[in-house]
Amino acid sequence: MSYGIETRLPFLDYRLFDFTNNLPLNYKVYNAKGKYLLRESMKNILPNEIYSSKIKNGFSIPID
């Protein structure tokens, strides 16, 4: 478990998946910031530290 990667799938509704899958890329990523539409929709609810956080970038695949 010390090298495991955790993934979470909070939005499993197929209708939400279909909707977001058909959105243009600029609604998903903007200024190298992912989850753009989700962030903007929660802008007035989330504290600014969370809204503007750049810490969570997902995980990368090792190339070597």
Side-chain angles (χ1 to χ4, degrees), residues 40-53:
E40 288 301 308
S41 66
M42 297 290 133
K43 185 177 185 175
N44 296 326
I45 297 171
L46 292 172
N48 192 41
E49 304 86 48
I50 295 173
Y51 167 74
S52 59
S53 175

Side-chain angles (χ1 to χ4, degrees), residues 10-30:
F11 305 114
L12 292 177
D13 190 288
Y14 71 93
R15 293 165 292 210
L16 184 59
F17 175 80
D18 288 341
F19 171 73
T20 56
N21 196 39
N22 291 316
L23 286 173
L25 185 59
N26 63 324
Y27 286 158
K28 300 175 191 178
V29 179
Y30 183 75

